[in-house]
Amino acid sequence: MASSSLCFPTTSAAGARTTLRPDVSGFLLSGHRPRTQFKSRSFDVRCSLDSNVSDMSVNAPKGLFPSEPEHYRGPKLKVAIIGAGLAGMSTAVELLDQGHEVDIYESRSFIGGKVGSFVDKRGNHIEMGLHNWILGFQLEHQLHGIRAFLSTNQLKPYDKARNALALALSPVVRALVDPDGAMRDIRNLDSISFSDWFLSKGGTRASIQRMWDPVAYALGFIDCDNISARCMLTIFGLFATKTEASLLRMLKGSPDIYLSGPIKKFHLRWGCREILYDRSTDGETYMTGIAMSKATQKKIVKADAYVAACDVPGIKRLVPPTWREWEFFDNIYELVGVPVVTVQLRYNGWVTELQDLERSRQLRQAAGLDNLLYTPDADFSCFADLALSSPEDYYLEGQGSLLQCVLTPGDPYMPLPNDEIIKRVTKQVLALFPSSQGLDVTWSSVVKIGQSLYREGPGKDPFRPDQKTPVKNFFLAGSYTKQDYIDSMEGATLSGRQASAYICDGGEELVALRKKIESQVLTEAASLTDELSLV
Ligand SMILES: Cc1cc2nc3c(=O)[nH]c(=O)nc-3n(C[C@H](O)[C@H](O)[C@H](O)COP(=O)(O)OP(=O)(O)OC[C@H]3O[C@@H](n4cnc5c(N)ncnc54)[C@H](O)[C@@H]3O)c2cc1C
């Protein structure tokens, strides 16, 4: 069996018409034997994504995003962005739309950060993680979710009743009539865990184990005892109130092509080693440049504004130690990344085809469940068959399922050798899908990320920094930064929009600061010349 592996120690939008099967989307809350019921009803989703990239003005879940920024009329700025993850790319797109000059610097050989992917020597697309999107949906589909909850055999009627009670007493109900008030209530629940909140409202342990833990693992890679009530309720509130944001979808192919592909041309392969800064005579700290390196080459980049769009370990390495005197920067060190392991397994048949054994053994046509799946019965709470859900790059003629499984918590798997990880995951796949008995794994890959999302534990939200920092020409972006959303693709994108808005707001001041820095440099050079001539 061929295999690939990667370790990062610290550091659809579908085509024109895609067929979805709502009955199998979301949950596969299986017991040891899958007991999901499948209905054949299908419906079509139409979207204007023919050119590989979503037109966000049409397709974005509008409720999530602030309205389009006003057209910028200030001076054109030169902006240097460190990090080409979604936050960096989103900042770049927003700034380019406003007419600024932008460069994105990325230390890795591929862009996209945690949502990045690349093609290995054998043509396999390796992804940093399994990603799904929250897209347009309608009331009909929310009702479908309620029907699924009522009919699932994963929870006993008693647990369902207690669940209903807990949700009825949650800010989610208030969100239906007063979304802003509900959001305030949700923020105030940051200091307790979801388990503590849920149990205090009458919810049961069984519901946590069978239903909410897989959701918590998928959202934050930690369980309900460790995730903050704010994090979980933010998502529930969103699903309850935004009829346009309640559908999980996946890209039709690899993120490298369908997500970050169009922005590749802006990417410059340089890592930032150091933030260079100075202090003016009036005591103001400002950046003077960023020291960059690529292999043995080094250079200094100067700009009007600098954006660090890094992950948590990346920003901790970049902040100059003396800046930790500011509580703003010191708080960042309270945030810690969660380890996660993503495993891909290619089979010589269709693992999730449960109804027709013959179909699961043929390789002429893809067969099985074509959406994101959750389970409480495996170490990967969240998985999908990419050959079905994102077929453009992952379906290969003459080959079968490509399961992508996200192992959460990743901690116990981090020290294990890849062979052992693959052995354990394969065994659990077989326990979930006994009908796949006899299918072979023909290729596999393991990607370990030592610190991925920040740990959204109770009491951590106040430590997330704003995009605007105490250093006037230095800004932050990144899914861990302050925005009313969790650490996610949407959060990263939102942080980029906010960083860009701050930069545009400060356009005049940033130009004034650049002039001040230039004149200070000239004054210093002149006084140096005077000193030299005196000598
Ligand atoms: C396994 C997995 C599954 C996920 N599933 C989902 C999902 O289904 N839905 C969802 O919404 N979200 C999901 N997420 C979360 C989502 O991927 C992240 O929240 C989001 O991509 C973070 O984007 P970012 O730009 O803030 O950070 P990153 O993607 O981490 O980007 C930061 C970039 O900065 C670069 N960098 C750091 N330091 C430097 C430096 N000094 N110089 C140059 N470059 C530097 C890094 O190399 C990196 O490319 C998942 C994450 C993982 C790991």
Side-chain angles (χ1 to χ4, degrees):
M1 180 185 70
S3 80
S4 298
S5 81
L6 248 192
C7 184
F8 293 92
T10 54
T11 78
S12 84
R17 279 167 73 91
T18 310
T19 303
L20 254 198
R21 289 198 287 168
D23 304 295
V24 296
S25 69
F27 276 53
L28 168 69
L29 281 166
S30 72
H32 290 292
R33 279 155 189 258
R35 279 173 273 167
T36 325
Q37 293 193 334
F38 308 113
K39 298 182 191 159
S40 58
R41 190 170 67 90
S42 303
F43 70 103
D44 289 336
V45 177
R46 283 183 195 81
C47 41
S48 59
L49 305 176
D50 309 8
S51 57
N52 300 344
V53 191
S54 172
D55 174 357
M56 291 303 272
S57 65
V58 178
N59 296 303
K62 294 182 185 59
L64 255 184
F65 282 83
S67 50
E68 286 290 317
E70 302 240 317
H71 179 61
Y72 176 72
R73 291 176 205 288
K76 180 176 173 174
L77 302 169
K78 183 174 159 70
V79 184
I81 300 175
I82 308 161
L86 270 182
M89 291 194 279
S90 147
T91 314
V93 167
E94 297 280 340
L95 289 169
L96 286 166
D97 277 354
Q98 297 288 17
H100 299 295
E101 186 188 331
V102 177
D103 286 319
I104 311 186
Y105 299 93
E106 169 58 53
S107 48
R108 288 188 186 146
S109 55
F110 57 93
I111 66 170
K114 289 195 267 293
V115 76
S117 72
F118 62 90
V119 184
D120 76 1
K121 284 185 199 138
R122 295 191 196 91
N124 299 296
H125 289 263
I126 313 278
E127 286 195 23
M128 296 302 99
L130 179 63
H131 283 86
N132 65 91
W133 303 78
I134 297 173
L135 291 179
F137 210 32
Q138 285 157 12
L139 186 61
E140 182 204 338
H141 310 127
Q142 281 167 327
L143 294 177
H144 168 76
I146 294 170
R147 264 203 318 273
F149 171 73
L150 292 175
S151 61
T152 180
N153 52 13
Q154 290 298 306
L155 296 178
K156 298 203 169 92
Y158 173 76
D159 295 313
K160 286 184 193 174
R162 307 296 297 197
N163 250 304
L165 176 71
L167 291 179
L169 295 173
S170 77
V172 175
V173 173
R174 182 175 180 186
L176 297 170
V177 286
D178 174 16
D180 291 340
M183 203 60 227
R184 277 196 300 277
D185 289 350
I186 289 173
R187 274 187 221 116
N188 289 338
L189 288 169
D190 184 62
S191 57
I192 60 166
S193 71
F194 181 74
S195 291
D196 284 348
W197 174 84
F198 185 71
L199 297 172
S200 77
K201 296 291 172 207
T204 61
R205 242 319 136 187
S207 301
I208 290 179
Q209 282 160 355
R210 300 304 300 167
M211 193 156 95
W212 298 122
D213 268 348
V215 174
Y217 279 133
L219 290 181
F221 304 160
I222 46 181
D223 63 16
C224 289
D225 290 351
N226 287 296
I227 204 165
S228 80
R230 177 200 57 79
C231 179
M232 294 282 274
L233 291 168
T234 299
I235 299 296
F236 299 171
L238 185 84
F239 273 25
T241 54
K242 310 277 183 230
T243 52
E244 74 275 26
S246 317
L247 170 66
L248 299 177
R249 293 297 318 275
M250 298 175 73
L251 289 173
K252 72 173 181 178
S254 127
D256 181 48
I257 294 170
Y258 290 93
L259 183 64
S260 44
I263 207 162
K264 269 184 195 153
K265 59 182 172 201
F266 298 108
H267 160 219
L268 300 166
R269 174 87 207 276
W270 288 86
C272 176
R273 279 182 298 119
E274 196 185 346
I275 282 176
L276 306 173
Y277 66 99
D278 207 343
R279 194 172 286 216
S280 64
T281 39
D282 52 12
E284 184 181 28
T285 300
Y286 54 83
M287 278 184 65
T288 53
I290 42 181
M292 313 299 289
S293 60
K294 174 168 62 170
T296 53
Q297 300 175 60
K298 289 189 176 146
K299 71 171 177 180
I300 289 177
V301 168
K302 290 191 179 285
D304 297 316
Y306 305 86
V307 183
C310 307
D311 45 5
V312 167
I315 189 64
K316 284 182 182 171
R317 279 194 300 268
L318 269 190
V319 167
T322 52
W323 288 10
R324 289 188 65 180
E325 284 164 16
W326 274 299
E327 197 182 12
F328 177 95
F329 291 113
D330 200 43
N331 279 346
I332 295 175
Y333 295 80
E334 295 288 331
L335 304 175
V336 182
V338 188
V340 68
V341 180
T342 302
V343 173
Q344 288 187 336
L345 302 171
R346 175 74 77 178
Y347 284 84
N348 61 351
W350 299 99
V351 173
T352 65
E353 173 52 58
L354 297 158
Q355 291 177 319
D356 186 338
L357 197 65
E358 218 168 281
R359 257 169 80 75
S360 76
R361 298 304 194 257
Q362 54 75 41
L363 293 172
R364 295 178 310 281
Q365 200 188 2
L369 309 179
D370 69 350
N371 217 325
L372 186 73
L373 302 165
Y374 294 90
T375 177
D377 295 314
D379 291 346
F380 49 90
S381 52
C382 179
F383 64 109
D385 185 343
L386 294 184
L388 282 149
S389 59
S390 306
E392 289 286 314
D393 299 307
Y394 298 103
Y395 170 77
L396 295 181
E397 259 183 51
Q399 302 199 30
S401 292
L402 178 62
L403 286 199
Q404 180 150 307
C405 307
V406 184
L407 290 161
T408 47
D411 314 57
Y413 280 88
M414 289 302 285
L416 296 182
N418 290 350
D419 287 353
E420 179 60 23
I421 295 174
I422 287 159
K423 201 167 109 196
R424 291 189 190 190
V425 176
T426 313
K427 200 168 155 199
Q428 293 176 43
V429 169
L430 185 61
L432 278 184
F433 298 97
S435 56
S436 70
Q437 176 82 44
L439 295 184
D440 295 325
V441 175
T442 53
W443 172 83
S444 61
S445 82
V446 175
V447 174
K448 294 177 176 174
I449 304 184
Q451 290 195 53
S452 63
L453 311 182
Y454 85 90
R455 186 176 286 273
E456 297 211 45
K460 291 296 175 196
D461 200 45
F463 298 111
R464 295 170 79 178
D466 195 26
Q467 291 75 32
K468 186 173 177 166
T469 79
V471 178
K472 206 184 269 174
N473 55 354
F474 180 56
F475 300 83
L476 298 176
S479 53
Y480 73 92
T481 61
K482 189 73 102 196
Q483 29 82 17
D484 242 339
Y485 207 59
I486 63 169
D487 190 330
S488 62
M489 296 186 290
E490 290 87 350
T493 314
L494 199 49
S495 77
R497 173 166 280 196
Q498 290 180 185
S500 157
Y502 278 129
I503 292 171
C504 292
D505 273 359
E508 301 283 353
E509 266 189 290
L510 287 165
V511 170
L513 179 59
R514 187 220 304 147
K515 289 183 180 153
K516 186 169 139 183
I517 296 169
E518 282 166 2
S519 73
Q520 186 143 331
V521 171
L522 285 177
T523 317
E524 279 168 14
S527 67
L528 190 66
T529 320
D530 288 350
E531 279 172 29
L532 287 176
S533 48
L534 277 174
V535 170

